[in-house]
Amino acid sequence: MSQPRMSQPLSHPALSAADPELAALVGAEEQLQADTLRLIPSENYVSAAVLEATGTVLQNKYSEGYAGRRYYEGQQNIDQVETLAVERAKAVFGVEHANVQPYSGSPANLAAYLAFAEPGDTVLGMALPMGGHLTHGWGVSATGTWFRGVQYGVRPDTALIDFDEVRDLARKERPKIIFCGGTAVPRTIDFAAFGEIAREVDAVLVADIAHIAGLIAGGAHPSPVPHADVISTTTHKTLRGPRGAMLMSRASHAKAVDKAVFPGLQGGPHNHTTAAIAVALREAAAPSFRDYAHAVVANAKALAEALLARGYDLVSGGTDNHLVLIDLTSKEVPGKVAAKALDRAGIVVNYNTVPFDPRKPFDPSGIRIGTPSLTSRGLGTDRMPLVAEWIDRSVQAAAKGDEDALTVIRGEVAELMAAYPAPGLPTA
Ligand code: DSN
């Protein structure tokens, strides 16, 4: 494996001159992202163009308000940047309204609460340990303390969302908002079923598509547009944009959404991020992005098959999207032990709860993996058996405490990844 270039970053000359210590850390991170197999399903590599947009002088500008209605002057260019992002979001997702200002996913979801509920109101969302998100009303989040979070889960036998439970809870609790979507859901979200339930109880349906936005944009997952009142998404996962977020809605909800984001929750938008979102959306509109989205899913399915063939238990038995949730109980290796061993082997994952996990969230039974990043580097289905083999060997090494085996795998990983240059990273 090549050595980290701690003292000789290949790029960022101004940063290197002004702050060599920080520049070295950036260089080391570039090396790490180049050498490793990054399997965290919420991460990706942005293109060089998206990366450049985030580093522009647009970050010098304040622009509270919206295009044509700002509280600061000098918006000749910023208004156009934001309008481009908004129009591209509307076109890519087929929505009537888009707000591109939320700083990230959690503020975007909080803005949805602000727009459609009062403190103390009941909201219905998927429980975090079942695959949901903190901001869907989970207790330790502000959304579960300022609002009354009621949570649905998955069926014990199939690990699929239990729509009988969702419907029963909705009828009984009459939530103001229903959230669907999550962070560890390996199967297609049935937006139509959620929409029907939300309409029956007169709730606002918020589809949080953060994980699958790129798949939806590329036609590899059904769209929530006909069914959801509001769509919340981050922009940096499968969508391959900068770290940011968007709220999209029907025209009838546009005012409420915009007012909640600004002035309700946020101050000035991050214009450099808005610009990078616009670039990412242009990329997402290209025919090649459809290929990318479908390749992400094909890779995840191939990886799931290869893991099943090696005797791994997968939550729900496989995947329909970019994500695979592995229950390591039968391997007798805790998720955290496996994740840390995999990290030492150059394979970056996160430990994760599995539905009905008997272990604690900080020391759960599973690991969560996904294929957005490796697909961005050009790995195809033919490589997935090898990825599964590395995971298997690493888990076995973790069980035996075999550090030498992990070092060998790390070398193999770095060698293969060198053949697949990562978008946006300097090439040595
Ligand atoms: N942190 C994100 C994830 O990894 O899924 C969700 O917010």
Side-chain angles (χ1 to χ4, degrees), residues 224-250:
V225 168
H227 313 290
D229 301 287
V230 176
I231 299 167
S232 169
T233 188
T234 52
T235 45
H236 47 269
K237 298 185 174 91
T238 48
L239 193 56
R240 294 194 61 196
R243 297 196 85 96
M246 305 191 292
L247 280 170
M248 298 176 278
S249 72
R250 299 187 176 132

Side-chain angles (χ1 to χ4, degrees), residues 372-383:
S373 297
L374 65 78
T375 308
S376 293
R377 292 184 74 158
L379 275 79
T381 52
D382 57 321
R383 293 296 189 188

Side-chain angles (χ1 to χ4, degrees), residues 148-229:
R148 186 173 157 267
V150 175
Q151 308 273 273
Y152 58 85
V154 295
R155 289 184 191 275
D157 51 342
T158 59
L160 300 179
I161 289 171
D162 187 342
F163 279 101
D164 291 338
E165 184 190 21
V166 177
R167 191 176 300 101
D168 288 350
L169 284 171
R171 284 175 179 165
K172 181 164 160 254
E173 305 287 353
R174 308 295 297 191
K176 278 277 181 63
I177 302 177
I178 299 177
F179 274 88
C180 62
T183 61
V185 181
R187 294 295 181 176
T188 301
I189 309 280
D190 188 345
F191 295 119
F194 277 107
E196 200 181 302
I197 293 169
R199 278 193 303 279
E200 185 192 320
V201 301
D202 203 21
V204 171
L205 178 64
V206 178
D208 183 342
I209 61 165
H211 264 256
I212 53 175
L215 305 186
I216 292 169
H221 188 290
S223 167
V225 168
H227 313 290
D229 301 287

Side-chain angles (χ1 to χ4, degrees), residues 30-47:
E30 286 170 350
Q31 188 77 61
L32 192 67
Q33 292 192 18
D35 286 346
T36 53
L37 179 60
R38 300 171 63 234
L39 293 182
I40 293 176
S42 48
E43 293 183 349
N44 214 326
Y45 295 93
V46 296
S47 69

Side-chain angles (χ1 to χ4, degrees), residues 53-415:
T54 63
T56 56
V57 295
L58 299 178
Q59 84 90 34
N60 293 341
K61 190 72 194 125
Y62 255 122
S63 46
E64 269 97 334
Y66 293 100
R69 294 174 286 131
R70 305 281 187 188
Y71 289 81
Y72 291 70
E73 297 311 313
Q75 307 296 340
Q76 296 86 334
N77 304 307
I78 300 298
D79 273 4
Q80 293 183 68
V81 167
E82 188 168 323
T83 302
L84 264 184
V86 166
E87 292 306 320
R88 288 175 183 173
K90 285 161 66 177
V92 165
F93 289 97
V95 290
E96 293 172 348
H97 178 68
N99 185 311
V100 296
Q101 294 193 5
Y103 298 142
S104 203
S106 297
N109 285 348
L110 200 51
Y113 285 81
L114 195 55
F116 301 107
E118 301 286 333
D121 278 349
T122 299
V123 297
L124 179 59
M126 191 176 203
L128 182 64
M130 295 284 180
H133 189 255
L134 277 167
T135 57
H136 297 183
W138 189 243
V140 297
S141 152
T143 63
T145 52
W146 295 346
F147 300 88
R148 186 173 157 267
V150 175
Q151 308 273 273
Y152 58 85
V154 295
R155 289 184 191 275
D157 51 342
T158 59
L160 300 179
I161 289 171
D162 187 342
F163 279 101
D164 291 338
E165 184 190 21
V166 177
R167 191 176 300 101
D168 288 350
L169 284 171
R171 284 175 179 165
K172 181 164 160 254
E173 305 287 353
R174 308 295 297 191
K176 278 277 181 63
I177 302 177
I178 299 177
F179 274 88
C180 62
T183 61
V185 181
R187 294 295 181 176
T188 301
I189 309 280
D190 188 345
F191 295 119
F194 277 107
E196 200 181 302
I197 293 169
R199 278 193 303 279
E200 185 192 320
V201 301
D202 203 21
V204 171
L205 178 64
V206 178
D208 183 342
I209 61 165
H211 264 256
I212 53 175
L215 305 186
I216 292 169
H221 188 290
S223 167
V225 168
H227 313 290
D229 301 287
V230 176
I231 299 167
S232 169
T233 188
T234 52
T235 45
H236 47 269
K237 298 185 174 91
T238 48
L239 193 56
R240 294 194 61 196
R243 297 196 85 96
M246 305 191 292
L247 280 170
M248 298 176 278
S249 72
R250 299 187 176 132
S252 55
H253 291 315
K255 264 195 185 150
V257 165
D258 285 356
K259 207 171 136 215
V261 173
F262 174 85
L265 195 63
Q266 297 187 170
H270 294 176
N271 297 310
H272 52 309
T273 301
T274 307
I277 290 173
V279 176
L281 288 167
R282 186 187 163 102
E283 291 174 355
S288 58
F289 197 84
R290 290 187 78 79
D291 299 338
Y292 169 71
H294 285 91
V296 167
V297 175
N299 277 337
K301 284 178 183 288
L303 183 52
E305 285 304 320
L307 287 165
L308 287 169
R310 287 179 175 273
Y312 281 80
D313 292 327
L314 307 184
V315 171
S316 83
T319 182
D320 297 328
N321 53 31
H322 63 302
L323 180 155
V324 177
L325 191 55
I326 306 175
D327 183 346
L328 290 169
T329 306
S330 67
K331 300 288 178 187
E332 297 181 353
V333 181
K336 195 177 201 169
V337 171
K340 290 191 177 299
L342 283 158
D343 195 44
R344 295 198 292 282
I347 300 168
V348 188
V349 308
N350 68 275
Y351 54 89
N352 216 97
T353 54
V354 296
F356 310 102
D357 203 324
R359 302 176 68 91
K360 298 263 184 287
F362 201 56
D363 183 20
S365 299
I367 55 173
R368 189 184 65 151
I369 62 174
T371 51
S373 297
L374 65 78
T375 308
S376 293
R377 292 184 74 158
L379 275 79
T381 52
D382 57 321
R383 293 296 189 188
M384 296 308 109
L386 177 59
V387 173
E389 182 198 314
W390 281 333
I391 291 172
D392 190 18
R393 281 165 54 199
S394 301
V395 170
Q396 288 184 41
K400 289 186 260 178
D402 186 349
E403 285 303 314
D404 290 347
L406 296 176
T407 305
V408 170
I409 297 165
R410 189 176 179 97
E412 292 174 20
V413 169
E415 194 179 330

